[in-house]
Amino acid sequence: MRTLCWLSFGLIALGRTAAAQAPERLRYEPAGHAVRVLAPGAPPTEVAAPGVVLAVLAANDRLYAACGDAGLVEYTLAAPGSPTAPVLRAVRDVGGSAIGLHVADGRVWIEIARVEARPLDSSPSREAAIVPTVQAPPASATSALEEAPAGRVVGVGVGAAVVDLGARDGVAKGDHVALLRRIEQSLGDGESGLGEEVLAVGVVTTVSAGRAEVELGLGERVPVGAIARVTRDLPSASTEAPPRLGGLYDVGFTMRPFLALGSFGFGTVSDATIGYRFEAPARLQLLFEPAGFGLADEGNIVALAGTVLGSYETSAFEIGMGLGWSAVNAEIEGAGESRAASAGAEGLSTDIDNVRSGLGIGQVARLGPPDGVHLAVRNTFLLYRDAFRYGGTVARGQIRLARKVWAVVGGGGGRAGFAYAEIGTRVLARGNGDHGSLFVTATVGGAGVFGERDDEGETKKIGYGGPMLGLGLEWRP
């Protein structure tokens, strides 16, 4: 009997020693929007998940997390011996809300909650007392922006922002990301608090483990340091009415070469502009319109005008005025004068007739955003021989055809000695209308120039035109 007792005590002590010497295993547990990894002798670490983690299970060198409506998340364990840094492998839609996990017959089973609807029985078997209850707020009352993991904008490129949220945070290509900034809001009675203003909701185009590139919409701008959250909201991009961007230069040039029908010659009706949009609703621009010429056997013509315009500009409209100079090639009542003609040779002559000129007063008006659907008109008046005279009009309209593509139609003319009409397309080839953006416009139509020349003591009207092709570039450095 005594021997049996000592044998029992020995077995118990041996078991305790073996238990004490057995290595402690890794453990995984839910931690809100993350899976917490508990390793012996090391501080806990967390791996982000796309939803609230309800259950976790490690099996077959894989780590599984049931994340409710977000589905089943599968991680790859770094190494069977030390899987302390699980790597996101896939997010699966299980056709319901994943609420639990277990192993049966060597396989991983997912516990799925489904919503079921049944008709209410209109004839209850017994009376029931009506007990008033207090209804809890629905789960959807919590904003999706508050539930998602938050990051920051760490870089801004041409038409895109880079955020410090990536695949390990559950971000995938095609996800929508809200970019916000904190603002102080008045709550009345001298109280105030911090709120959030959504600057843009963009689409993820490129993802790495820890970062993602978010494409911005036309006219959208976000600063470095803005808050970034994954959201189910639709992108905020607008092509019909994009916001106006300030603090921005724009440099543009359009060439419209044409052939002189009925004559041996050619010409161009071009324009060029350099402008600056202030942060305040104001714009200043130097406009050369027209910047054209014509060379033909009938005579040569220069059509040129330049104007400095200042305007009040918002995303909805623009109105302004300016001063400049304009050539006067068209006949103005009571203002005709003889012009010295250059001796011409056969064929094309490179001599340009002398032109009259006058002070130009410009008007500009636009209805609609500059990069959206709009109609813009520019008028010119001439102070010539101590009288104001109508100088000409140029108009242009733009409507949307597709994303970053618009149809344009325009035309006009004036006493500077030009006229044109065109139709075509405008394409945003690079960027989103902010710094570094490039617009390309291609048109077809007709153009011409006209004027007068002295032919052996007689004033002779000349003019020619024909079909033209237009190409315009606008760059915003």
Side-chain angles (χ1 to χ4, degrees), residues 308-347:
V308 177
L309 292 167
S311 58
Y312 178 82
E313 182 190 58
T314 69
S315 60
F317 70 92
E318 178 184 8
I319 186 168
M321 295 186 65
L323 296 175
W325 170 93
S326 175
V328 181
N329 282 320
E331 180 181 353
I332 299 180
E333 184 180 354
E337 62 181 44
S338 62
R339 306 165 67 188
S342 302
E346 293 184 2

Side-chain angles (χ1 to χ4, degrees), residues 171-189:
V171 177
K173 186 176 180 180
D175 284 352
H176 299 170
V177 175
L179 306 172
L180 316 95
R181 66 178 175 185
R182 296 194 183 279
I183 57 174
E184 187 173 356
Q185 295 178 328
S186 175
L187 303 177
D189 295 332

Side-chain angles (χ1 to χ4, degrees), residues 270-274 286-291 304-307:
S270 304
D271 60 66
T273 181
I274 301 174
L286 173 61
L287 176 66
F288 295 97
E289 185 182 43
L304 182 64
T307 309

Side-chain angles (χ1 to χ4, degrees), residues 349-434:
S349 171
T350 58
D351 296 325
I352 303 296
D353 294 328
N354 295 327
V355 297
R356 297 163 290 178
S357 63
L359 177 67
I361 301 175
Q363 293 179 330
V364 60
R366 189 199 73 240
L367 182 63
D371 292 331
V373 178
H374 72 253
L375 175 64
V377 179
R378 289 188 294 272
N379 292 321
T380 302
F381 299 89
L382 299 175
L383 179 59
Y384 188 81
R385 290 201 166 193
D386 300 325
F388 287 107
R389 307 175 191 277
Y390 172 70
T393 297
V394 171
R396 175 171 173 165
Q398 176 175 284
I399 59 173
R400 180 196 177 202
L401 289 180
R403 184 172 177 267
K404 297 186 178 182
V405 180
W406 299 265
V408 294
V409 58
R415 296 190 184 278
F418 77 104
Y420 75 95
E422 63 182 354
I423 185 171
T425 57
R426 183 174 185 240
V427 178
L428 178 55
R430 183 174 185 263
N432 71 326
D434 204 349

Side-chain angles (χ1 to χ4, degrees), residues 57-60 62 64 72 92 100-111:
L57 176 65
N60 303 326
R62 295 283 189 271
Y64 303 93
L72 177 69
R92 301 184 182 181
L101 297 160
H102 67 270
V103 177
D105 299 328
R107 301 177 61 186
V108 176
W109 291 73
I110 310 164
E111 300 171 16

Side-chain angles (χ1 to χ4, degrees), residues 33-50:
H33 283 81
V35 176
R36 181 176 292 118
V37 181
L38 302 174
T45 59
E46 293 185 356
V47 181

